[in-house]
């Protein structure tokens, strides 16, 4: 089955799994061979390995990376080599991690940067201060951390964060949610930080103790966002607002909701009350069930339409569908030099490349979809299909998931021996039924770009929702 969710937890697993404690060392030759073997394995089995990066470019990158390995490395240092290597292909579902037990043990130690931060124009600002030093205020600019300038840190951190294609909005969202573990993971592990801070244009330097994970982590910061309810619907002043935090069946079930019943009731209500405007808030929806995502999309169409164009696999994976596996999945078929995945025998997860029918209670009013860099995976499929058919006005920032589709589906995890590093590899490449010449290597683009300010982060202001409501007030009703 396709992964039920690409959530903040998926980002956290690779990013909180490192610290420079006592670990085995691996010779330079061992690491170089591991890198080469991983490269060959991905090239053979990852269906999107060359989706955004050409073979010669990747080979040049690998050759350059090998030259940096001149001495033995710890397991963490091997991880630091592999993270940007796997992220380079532009696949947010491909990840490298260390064992969970290792992560659990280091999270009890004080080794995390004691601030939540946000990046704007390559500059870093304090959003929350956990250091205990009241001389540092939200909104202050952090200029250096342990003698590293912020541009220097971003040159290390951003290339190691996976996102689809050439997207960067996901990467900056990840920095906002995860910077302390990113720093510990990719830069250094330390129990104190020397921080240069600008407060009202005055520079001050502080030496601050590190904090443990439990001391600073909260809902949405270093931990997965966990709303009380995944689905919410309301109508105010003839404007419907439908918020979908996740398409994941398990997440929705935990909030004691049922997706199809909830969505159908919401659209039935919209139509019965003749509500002319609907805001669909998909911000921070990191994906989930393709069935739920495709179902939502059907409520915005009044004629048949295409959702996915096709699903591709590599030849190596196509030939692995044999024996008992064929009880569940049909063998892919070859078309020219491409292997196409077929409908499964026992599940409907791969059915959405067929022509789709509109929902019975489909909506004909004006639709405004709120998006940001944490719209990923199946959520990004929804936005792409709606954008392609001009079914909505998009407000916010570019989605983190690819407009053209993504690589996901069956996602086995393997151990990269002789290390304990774990590699997640998606085996299917999904291609949305959209114009292949539009937004190549990018996400769905907003019609109205709204950038949150540092003050918005600090105060909780929502300029994106405000922009949607302001747009509606200027727009004549459709029903």
């Amino acid at each position: 089955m396709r992964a039920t969710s690409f959530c903040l937890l998926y980002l956290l697993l690779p990013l909180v799994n490192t610290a420079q404690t006592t670990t085995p060392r691996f010779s330079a030759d061992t690491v170089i061979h591991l890198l080469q073997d991983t490269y060959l394995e991905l090239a053979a089995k990852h269906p999107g390995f060359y989706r955004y990066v050409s073979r010669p470019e990747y080979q040049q990158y690998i050759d350059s990376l090998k030259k940096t390995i001149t001495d033995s490395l710890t397991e963490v240092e091997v991880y630091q080599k592999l993270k940007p290597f796997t992220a380079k292909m532009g696949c947010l579902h491909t990840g490298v991690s260390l064992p969970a037990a290792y992560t659990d043990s280091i999270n009890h130690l004080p080794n995390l940067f004691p601030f939540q931060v946000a990046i704007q124009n390559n500059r870093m600002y304090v959003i929350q201060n956990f250091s205990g030093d009241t001389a540092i205020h939200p909104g202050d600019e952090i200029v250096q951390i342990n003698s590293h300038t912020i541009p220097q840190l971003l040159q290390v951190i951003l290339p190691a964060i996976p996102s689809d294609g050439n997207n960067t909005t996901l990467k900056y969202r990840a920095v906002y949610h995860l910077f302390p573990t990113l720093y510990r993971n990719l830069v250094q592990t330390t129990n104190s930080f020397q921080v240069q801070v600008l407060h009202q244009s005055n520079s001050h330097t502080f030496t601050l103790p590190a904090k443990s994970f439990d001391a600073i982590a909260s809902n949405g910061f270093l931990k997965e966002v966990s709303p009380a309810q995944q689905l919410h619907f309301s109508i105010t002043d003839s404007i419907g607002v439908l918020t979908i935090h996740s398409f994941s069946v398990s997440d929705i079930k935990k909030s004691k909701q049922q997706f199809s019943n909830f969505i159908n009731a919401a659209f039935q209500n919209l139509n019965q009350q003749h509500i002319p405007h609907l805001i669909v808030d998909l911000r921070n929806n990191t994906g989930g069930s393709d069935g739920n995502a495709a179902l939502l999309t059907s409520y915005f169409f009044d004629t048949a339409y295409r959702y996915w164009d096709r699903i591709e696999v590599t030849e190596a994976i196509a030939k692995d569908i044999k024996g008992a596996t064929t009880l569940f999945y049909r063998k892919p078929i070859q078309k020219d030099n491409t292997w196409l995945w077929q409908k499964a025998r026992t599940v409907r997860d791969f059915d959405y490349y067929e022509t789709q029918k509109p929902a019975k209670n489909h909506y004909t009013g004006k639709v405004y979809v709120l998006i940001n860099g944490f719209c990923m995976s199946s959520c990004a499929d929804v936005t792409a299909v709606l954008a392609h058919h001009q079914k909505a006005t998009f407000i916010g920032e570019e989605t983190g998931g690819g407009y053209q589709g993504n690589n996901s589906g069956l996602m086995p995890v393997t151990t990269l021996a002789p290390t304990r590093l774990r590699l997640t590899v998606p085996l299917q490449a999904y291609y949305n039924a959209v114009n292949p010449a539009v937004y190549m290597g990018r996400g769905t683009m907003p019609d109205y770009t709204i950038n949150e300010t540092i003050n918005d982060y600090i105060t909780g202001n929502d300029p994106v929702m405000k922009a949607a409501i302001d747009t509606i007030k200027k727009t004549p009703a459709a029903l």
Side-chain angles (χ1 to χ4, degrees):
M1 294 177 61
R2 197 175 191 198
T4 56
S5 176
F6 181 81
C7 55
L8 180 60
L9 179 62
Y10 188 85
L11 281 174
L12 281 169
L13 284 173
L15 300 178
V16 302
N17 278 338
T18 60
Q20 300 283 4
T21 60
T22 301
T23 58
R25 297 192 71 87
F26 303 92
S27 70
D29 284 346
T30 297
V31 177
I32 290 171
H33 281 107
L34 172 62
L35 181 63
Q36 182 66 23
D37 290 345
T38 304
Y39 171 48
L40 294 176
E41 186 76 2
L42 287 171
K45 295 185 177 179
H46 195 298
F49 192 65
Y50 297 118
R51 191 167 184 167
Y52 302 110
V53 182
S54 69
R55 186 186 299 266
E57 183 182 356
Y58 227 127
Q59 186 60 61
Q60 183 179 18
Y61 176 83
I62 291 294
D63 292 341
S64 176
L65 183 58
K66 288 177 182 177
K67 291 177 182 178
T68 68
I69 304 169
T70 58
D71 200 355
S72 64
L73 301 178
T74 66
E75 195 166 56
V76 172
E77 291 167 339
V78 176
Y79 171 89
Q80 292 170 347
K81 298 291 184 184
L82 285 172
K83 278 299 291 181
F85 159 67
T86 55
K88 185 174 178 60
M89 76 178 75
C91 174
L92 65 82
H93 290 94
T94 302
V96 180
S97 64
L98 286 165
Y102 183 72
T103 301
D104 292 341
S105 66
I106 63 172
N107 275 346
H108 294 299
L109 303 175
N111 49 38
L112 293 176
F113 188 64
F115 299 95
Q116 183 176 23
V117 300
I119 303 295
Q120 284 198 345
N121 299 321
N122 231 29
R123 299 165 74 173
M124 178 180 288
Y125 298 90
V126 174
I127 304 303
Q128 292 192 78
N129 177 4
F130 302 100
S131 72
D133 194 321
T134 57
I136 304 173
H137 304 83
D140 287 351
E141 181 180 355
I142 297 175
V143 179
Q144 286 192 358
I145 303 172
N146 290 347
S147 300
H148 302 292
T149 67
I150 302 310
Q152 288 171 338
L153 291 174
L154 294 179
Q155 286 177 6
V156 173
I157 290 172
L158 294 179
I161 301 173
S163 65
D164 280 347
N166 302 311
N167 169 270
T168 60
T169 57
L170 185 157
K171 294 174 183 282
Y172 285 106
R173 288 275 163 192
V175 169
Y176 170 71
H177 289 286
L178 302 169
F179 181 77
T181 48
L182 284 163
Y183 185 97
R184 180 183 70 182
N185 167 11
L186 297 167
V187 182
Q188 66 176 149
T189 298
T190 179
N191 57 16
S192 67
F193 296 90
Q194 187 178 75
V195 185
Q196 183 184 349
V197 177
L198 283 181
H199 175 68
Q200 297 179 348
S201 301
N202 296 314
S203 179
H204 306 275
T205 300
F206 302 86
T207 300
L208 305 168
K211 298 293 183 178
S212 68
F213 183 86
D214 289 340
I216 65 174
S218 60
N219 185 15
F221 177 56
L222 304 182
K223 291 182 178 180
E224 183 181 357
V225 178
S226 182
Q229 290 190 313
Q230 298 292 340
L231 311 173
H232 186 268
F233 175 70
S234 64
I235 297 174
T236 305
D237 297 329
S238 296
I239 300 173
V241 179
L242 174 62
T243 302
I244 303 175
H245 293 292
S246 174
F247 289 116
S248 165
V249 173
S250 59
D251 288 346
I252 294 168
K253 186 176 181 180
K254 286 178 184 177
S255 63
K256 298 181 180 179
Q257 296 175 300
Q258 205 281 332
F259 189 83
S260 61
N261 290 345
F262 186 97
I263 296 300
N264 188 61
F267 280 92
Q268 188 174 31
N269 202 345
L270 287 167
N271 289 327
Q272 287 174 347
Q273 296 190 46
H274 304 287
I275 301 301
H277 301 282
L278 171 63
I279 297 172
V280 182
D281 191 350
L282 295 180
R283 290 173 295 174
N284 302 314
N285 182 324
T286 56
S289 161
D290 290 314
N292 285 343
L295 176 64
L296 174 69
T297 307
S298 70
Y299 281 88
F300 302 102
F301 287 85
D302 56 6
T303 59
Y305 65 99
R306 299 287 311 289
Y307 188 74
W308 292 332
D309 180 66
R310 65 192 186 279
I311 307 170
E312 294 183 6
V313 297
T314 65
E315 182 178 0
I317 295 303
K319 292 181 176 180
D320 275 346
I321 306 300
K322 56 188 177 181
T325 308
T326 58
L327 296 175
F328 305 95
Y329 305 108
R330 290 183 171 86
K331 290 184 69 63
I333 60 173
Q334 186 176 10
K335 183 178 180 181
D336 299 325
N337 294 322
T338 301
W339 290 88
L340 299 177
W341 190 259
Q342 299 299 291
K343 291 177 60 173
R345 296 184 186 278
T346 58
V347 295
R348 294 196 59 217
D349 298 66
F350 309 107
D351 293 1
Y352 304 107
Y353 60 81
E354 297 179 317
T355 299
Q356 303 294 298
K357 296 180 180 179
K360 180 179 179 180
N361 287 317
H362 61 266
Y363 182 69
T364 58
K366 291 188 178 294
V367 181
Y368 309 82
V369 179
L370 311 187
I371 55 176
N372 68 7
F374 263 21
C375 293
M376 309 179 201
S377 197
S378 59
C379 177
D381 294 345
V382 172
T383 64
V385 173
L386 294 182
H388 173 69
H389 290 277
Q390 299 181 327
K391 293 296 183 180
T393 297
F394 291 86
I395 302 173
E397 66 182 16
E398 177 188 355
T399 62
Y403 180 81
Q404 302 294 337
N406 64 72
N407 315 296
S408 54
L410 300 168
M411 301 203 305
V413 180
T414 58
T415 300
L416 299 176
T419 72
R420 298 173 297 166
L421 298 175
R422 306 279 283 169
L423 176 67
T424 301
V425 182
L427 300 183
Q428 283 115 336
Y430 293 77
Y431 290 83
N432 293 331
V434 300
N435 186 341
V438 175
Y439 302 149
M440 182 60 188
R442 304 299 298 270
T444 299
M445 296 293 185
D447 298 295
Y448 298 99
T449 298
I450 306 297
N451 296 314
E452 295 161 282
T453 66
I454 295 302
N455 188 60
D456 291 330
Y457 282 112
I458 295 169
T459 62
N461 291 337
D462 191 347
V464 180
M465 181 63 77
K466 182 179 183 301
I469 294 173
D470 289 345
T471 301
I472 288 171
K473 290 178 178 178
K474 301 174 185 176
T475 305
L479 289 177

